[in-house]
Amino acid sequence: MKDITDLIAQRAEMLYGPSIPHHGTSTHATAFHAEASPPGTPPPPPDFASCLLSAPELAAMQMVPRTPLLGEWMREGDLGYLFAPRGGGKTWLAMLIGKALAEGVSLGQWAAGQGPRSVYYFDAEMNQQDVQTRAEKIGISHPSFYWLSNEYLYMTLTHSANIADPRHQEGLSNMLPDGSVFIIDNLSTGQSGMRENENDDFDVIKDWLLSLRRRAITVIIVHHAGRNGEMRGGSRREDPAHWILSLKDATEDGSSAKGFVTRFSKCRNCRERDAPPLRWSLKETNGRFMVYCDPFGNTDAMLTYIQDGITSANELAEVFGVQASAISKWAKKLMNAGLIRKRGREYQLIEE
């Protein structure tokens, strides 16, 4: 004879279909909770158990690889940060990246991705005339590159966009097509009401950014460096990022060319050796910028890493993807030049 729980489960299966067993609860309990709640009662909790995947089920799923967009380091749906001190060249590089993505071409040492993308560049800082001038110097003219200027928004709608405002988030989401690229320049001027140093305040935009990821929208956020050289503000915003790209000014004294060095402090999509430091130079000729890019020399790059706190031979070897003997050889050159010294297992800068 069947007991009462078997009869209830059988009746529920007839009404609602087969139940899904989950950890810690019998099939009978799952079926019983499928009954509709009486009017006026709170809705039942989410049925997270229905979304459980066993290890074999996950392994058997057919995943579609995320499309490469630029080099080995950027893929469709990424959330990434590009940061530098004031005047470090972050807006120039952000515009160059947007141009390359809109045209589907390479940029410097970074290979082109799989086809062009629609790019939406939200400028929340500069005057529109300055944006126009920079676009002309870089040569941004592709019809799939769109500008959203806070100054033009204010002239047109009498208010600017605020990425921390849920209504504005909805408006921006409606503007962005699936699979597009959204560049926010920059985090400080693009929002109001979110305190930079308070980690909890980042929750105001975190869920919205994750909703864009689920639509395969790539988001690039331009931000400032703090006095310590790291990205300014609370660190929680870095957790969901696929990559973080830093810039350091490398403009030579007396030179009219803008120079900077790029280095990834975080990169989920590839190994550090596949996204090495690069030295960039923007030289103006007849009102247009020519872009030059070369690998950042081993000893120069090593000196930069030591400045950033990567000081042991093993850590440096991991970053460069070389043997510790190569690190020792480069370190000897730097020590002979009077730039570093070795204390125990650590390399230290020699301050002038």
Side-chain angles (χ1 to χ4, degrees):
M1 177 182 292
K2 295 183 178 180
D3 63 23
I4 187 64
T5 55
D6 289 328
L7 293 173
I8 291 172
Q10 186 180 45
R11 177 61 176 165
E13 187 169 330
M14 291 173 60
L15 292 173
Y16 305 106
S19 57
I20 302 172
H22 54 91
H23 298 280
T25 307
S26 69
T27 302
H28 307 145
T30 305
F32 180 77
H33 285 296
E35 298 284 355
S37 301
T41 61
D47 185 11
F48 295 124
S50 65
C51 298
L52 285 174
L53 292 171
S54 68
E57 287 173 332
L58 177 62
M61 291 183 72
Q62 298 297 314
M63 299 289 189
V64 178
R66 292 193 297 126
T67 304
L69 297 186
L70 193 63
E72 298 289 333
W73 56 275
M74 186 189 296
R75 298 180 186 174
E76 183 181 68
D78 276 0
L79 168 62
Y81 290 93
L82 189 163
F83 77 95
R86 291 184 181 90
K90 53 188 178 294
T91 292
W92 287 114
L93 184 58
M95 290 183 177
L96 286 168
I97 289 173
K99 177 179 185 292
L101 294 174
E103 297 175 0
V105 298
S106 62
L107 176 62
Q109 300 286 315
W110 298 328
Q114 295 182 10
R117 295 289 163 136
S118 295
V119 174
Y120 295 77
Y121 197 108
F122 172 38
D123 174 73
E125 182 176 75
M126 294 192 298
N127 298 107
Q128 194 171 10
Q129 183 177 1
D130 294 336
V131 174
Q132 184 186 59
T133 299
R134 291 202 178 197
E136 290 174 352
K137 288 180 180 294
I138 294 175
I140 298 175
S141 59
H142 199 278
S144 64
F145 192 115
Y146 299 91
W147 296 99
L148 183 68
S149 165
N150 249 353
E151 182 172 281
Y152 188 70
L153 278 169
Y154 191 83
M155 290 188 298
T156 307
L157 304 177
T158 68
H159 63 77
S160 53
N162 176 10
I163 63 171
D165 184 324
R167 294 186 306 110
H168 291 201
Q169 291 172 0
E170 183 179 2
L172 292 168
S173 296
N174 293 339
M175 177 190 77
L176 297 168
D178 294 354
S180 60
V181 177
F182 186 37
I183 302 175
I184 301 172
D185 187 3
N186 55 67
L187 184 60
S188 297
T189 56
Q191 62 84 22
S192 177
M194 185 178 71
R195 295 168 295 180
E196 274 191 359
N197 294 322
E198 298 295 328
N199 277 314
D200 288 344
D201 281 21
F202 180 66
D203 292 343
V204 174
I205 66 170
K206 181 187 68 176
D207 288 343
W208 173 60
L209 293 174
L210 291 175
S211 73
L212 298 180
R213 175 189 296 181
R214 296 181 187 106
R215 295 173 52 203
I217 295 173
T218 304
V219 179
I220 301 171
I221 300 178
V222 179
H223 195 30
H224 293 88
R227 294 180 180 177
N228 62 356
E230 299 300 319
M231 196 157 61
R232 199 170 71 188
S235 61
R236 188 184 298 173
R237 65 171 64 100
E238 301 178 15
D239 296 340
H242 291 83
W243 48 265
I244 300 174
L245 181 62
S246 69
L247 283 77
K248 289 194 174 181
D249 185 63
T251 302
E252 298 180 2
D253 292 339
S255 174
S256 59
K258 177 64 181 176
F260 51 83
V261 171
T262 56
R263 182 177 72 84
F264 287 93
S265 58
K266 177 179 181 180
C267 190
R268 285 183 184 171
N269 295 332
C270 66
R271 299 170 300 178
E272 290 193 58
R273 69 186 69 176
D274 296 323
L278 299 173
R279 185 190 295 273
W280 302 77
S281 180
L282 309 183
K283 298 180 180 180
E284 187 172 355
T285 303
N286 299 324
R288 296 287 293 271
F289 272 140
M290 299 296 294
V291 180
Y292 301 90
C293 176
D294 297 293
F296 194 32
N298 292 330
T299 52
D300 289 338
M302 182 171 167
L303 192 63
T304 298
Y305 280 123
I306 294 171
Q307 290 174 331
D308 290 344
I310 302 175
T311 57
S312 77
N314 288 338
E315 289 177 325
L316 290 164
E318 176 66 23
V319 167
F320 283 99
V322 299
Q323 299 294 323
S325 58
I327 298 298
S328 297
K329 187 182 298 183
W330 301 339
K332 187 175 182 179
K333 292 181 180 179
L334 293 172
M335 287 189 282
N336 290 339
L339 297 174
I340 66 171
R341 59 174 169 260
K342 190 172 184 181
R343 291 286 177 84
R345 296 178 178 273
E346 308 291 323
Y347 296 109
Q348 297 178 345
L349 293 178
I350 296 177
E351 302 292 343
E352 295 181 359

